[in-house]
Structures are given as structure tokens and as C-alpha cells.
Amino acid sequence: MPAFILDWNPPEGSDFDKLAAQFQRMDVTPGMAGLFGGFADLVDWAALAGIVATLAFGMMTVRRAPMEFESWRVIDRAAVFLGRVAMMLIVLLCCVMLYEVFVRYVLNEGTYWANEMSLWLAGYVFLLAGLYAMQQRSHIRIFLLYDICPRPVQRLFDMISTLLILTFAFFLFYGAYGEAFAKFYRWELFGTAFDPPIPATLKMMVLLVIPLVAIQAVINLISDWNAEPVFHTAADDFDEDELQRLRAAVGQDGVGELDVTRTAHQKGDN
């Protein structure tokens, strides 16, 4: 990313020299000439094109899982796909943490990058999962008053909550815009031995994701406007599809393939 900053919107004066020196120090292909007379080389352009292509392909091909919210539109595909990305990042985060534990307690050594990498990945997981949770209507909500109100009043509550989300997103973007872009343009690093660009990337990611959350809230409001009233009970915490699969696996007599007493029953019969 520093290569594209230097090409598209280079800082002025000493900031340019600092960013250029930082780019030369971190460049994974230092011997490759930049394309179009700039800093970004073929690898940089290929990585950028790959990210765009992955996002486009993922949003076009993502499918709803059985346990996910049933009613979603084409416009919801972005949030659903980014939710899939968050799920994969959780797996990667767990691998990093397990590797750190193995190296530290089995090999009696340590890493200088695992902690910062975990923080970096966790930040992305937190933001992307928030967008996905908004699309799935799975944020923590208190339905005690909501459920006993008629549908027009429920719509009013939905409008108020959406307005509050939009207000929060506006003021967050307005207040953090200057600092986030300043950190991004100078590609601010974390200041450790590993020195990842956590301030430069996560601050900018907040500015990108929070407006998407607000937009998703508006989409939810429009999508659910004519929906039938839903009354929430303790049974909502159970996945009916999963229960059906468990019943089918266990069997009517309770001695199916997943029954832990199956072996004991068989031995007793013999």
C-alpha cells in the first residue's frame, strides 16, 4: 500500500522521504522496477487486482448457510461475504496463537510477531463480524417492550434505532476522519520489533466498516418494514435445523450413531 500512496497521493517534503525510505525497507520485491514509472511494481498491482477480484467473486457466489437469517437481498451479499472473511480470519488467528503457545512452551522459545499479528487480525475480525452481525440481526437486543407493541410501534422503534446508528456513524466518521487519513498517508507503524502498520490500517478500516454498518442498518429497516411480527422466546437460542439433524442421527430409540451408550447397549445385548 505505501507504493500506491507514493504514486497516487504522495506526501510533501520530509514526509515523502520518510515514506519512500520506509517503502524501500519493507518492499518484498526490492529489485523489481515499478510499473507506469511509479513505485508500485507488478507484484503490487497483482495483489491489488487479486483483492478486488476476490471481493467481486465472493459477493457474487456467496450462499446462505442453513442457520443464517433467511431473508436477504442481493445487496446483503457484501456483508455476508465479509462475514465469511471474518470466519476465516478467526481460524488464522487461532493458528497464530497456537503456534505461539507451541513455540513458547514446547520449544522454549518465542516469536516477536505473534502478539502484534493477533491484535491485527482480531481488529479486523471485530469490525467485519460487527457488519455481519448487523446483517444477521444478531446483535444483542432486549425484546421485552418491543414484542408487546403493535407492528406500527415496532416500526417506530426500528426507525429510532436506525437513526441512532446513523448518527453514531456520522459523528465517528466526522471525528476520526482527519486522524485516520493522517496515519494512513504516512503509513504509521506499531513501533515494535515486528512493526506492523496497525494504526495505518485499522483506523482506516474503522472509517470503511462503520458507514457500511449504518448502510446495512438502513437496508435491514427497508427489508423488514413489511415483515410479520416476530415474538421472541427462549427457544430462539436453539437452531432447529441442527436439532433435526441430531434427532435423525440419534434415532427414535435414542441409540443412533451419535448415542454415547450405543456400545454399552450392544455389549449388553450380546
Side-chain angles (χ1 to χ4, degrees):
M1 187 56 69
F4 294 108
I5 297 175
L6 291 169
D7 286 345
W8 296 343
N9 192 12
E12 299 179 355
S14 60
D15 291 336
F16 177 86
D17 297 332
K18 292 178 181 178
L19 185 59
Q22 180 177 299
F23 167 71
Q24 296 296 336
R25 186 175 67 254
M26 300 174 59
D27 190 12
V28 296
T29 55
M32 186 175 294
L35 296 180
F36 313 113
F39 287 86
D41 55 29
L42 180 61
V43 174
D44 297 319
W45 282 100
L48 180 62
I51 293 173
V52 175
T54 300
L55 288 174
F57 181 77
M59 287 187 290
M60 289 189 299
T61 58
V62 67
R63 296 291 183 269
R64 188 186 74 86
M67 72 289 297
E68 289 183 317
F69 190 76
E70 294 183 2
S71 177
W72 56 293
R73 306 183 178 191
V74 175
I75 199 170
D76 293 316
R77 289 181 176 274
V80 176
F81 173 69
L82 291 177
R84 301 290 189 272
V85 174
M87 297 173 192
M88 291 185 285
L89 289 179
I90 292 175
V91 176
L92 180 59
L93 173 60
C94 292
C95 292
V96 171
M97 297 175 67
L98 288 174
Y99 177 78
E100 170 68 10
V101 171
F102 174 78
V103 171
R104 181 177 298 274
Y105 294 103
V106 177
L107 302 182
N108 199 25
E109 296 180 0
T111 63
Y112 67 92
W113 54 269
N115 182 50
E116 286 80 8
M117 180 62 75
S118 300
L119 292 174
W120 202 5
L121 293 174
Y124 282 103
V125 169
F126 175 80
L127 292 170
L128 297 179
L131 175 60
Y132 176 70
M134 176 61 70
Q135 190 277 330
Q136 291 291 303
R137 287 79 163 168
S138 59
H139 281 294
I140 296 176
R141 301 171 65 184
I142 300 175
F143 298 102
L144 183 62
L145 178 62
Y146 187 88
D147 282 351
I148 64 176
C149 293
R151 185 58 183 150
V153 179
Q154 290 181 349
R155 292 193 181 101
L156 177 61
F157 288 161
D158 293 337
M159 292 174 60
I160 293 174
S161 63
T162 303
L163 179 61
L164 292 175
I165 293 172
L166 290 172
T167 303
F168 168 78
F170 171 78
F171 282 106
L172 186 144
F173 190 91
Y174 179 79
Y177 175 87
E179 180 185 3
F181 272 84
K183 292 179 180 294
F184 180 77
Y185 282 133
R186 65 172 178 261
W187 202 246
E188 184 173 324
L189 304 177
F190 200 53
T192 59
F194 180 42
D195 216 15
I198 294 179
T201 54
L202 283 185
K203 289 277 188 178
M204 184 60 65
M205 195 67 180
V206 170
L207 291 188
L208 294 176
V209 173
I210 296 303
L212 290 178
V213 172
I215 294 172
Q216 186 64 53
V218 176
I219 295 173
N220 292 354
L221 178 65
I222 297 173
S223 299
D224 299 341
W225 188 260
N226 294 320
E228 294 295 327
V230 177
F231 298 97
H232 301 85
T233 65
D236 295 338
D237 296 332
F238 298 96
D239 184 0
E240 187 61 31
D241 293 335
E242 183 66 21
L243 289 177
Q244 292 293 340
R245 286 193 291 269
L246 288 174
R247 292 191 187 103
V250 172
Q252 296 296 328
D253 298 329
V255 290
E257 294 295 335
L258 297 184
D259 183 37
V260 295
T261 63
R262 181 182 178 89
T263 304
H265 282 295
Q266 292 176 344
K267 290 181 178 179
D269 294 338
N270 293 333

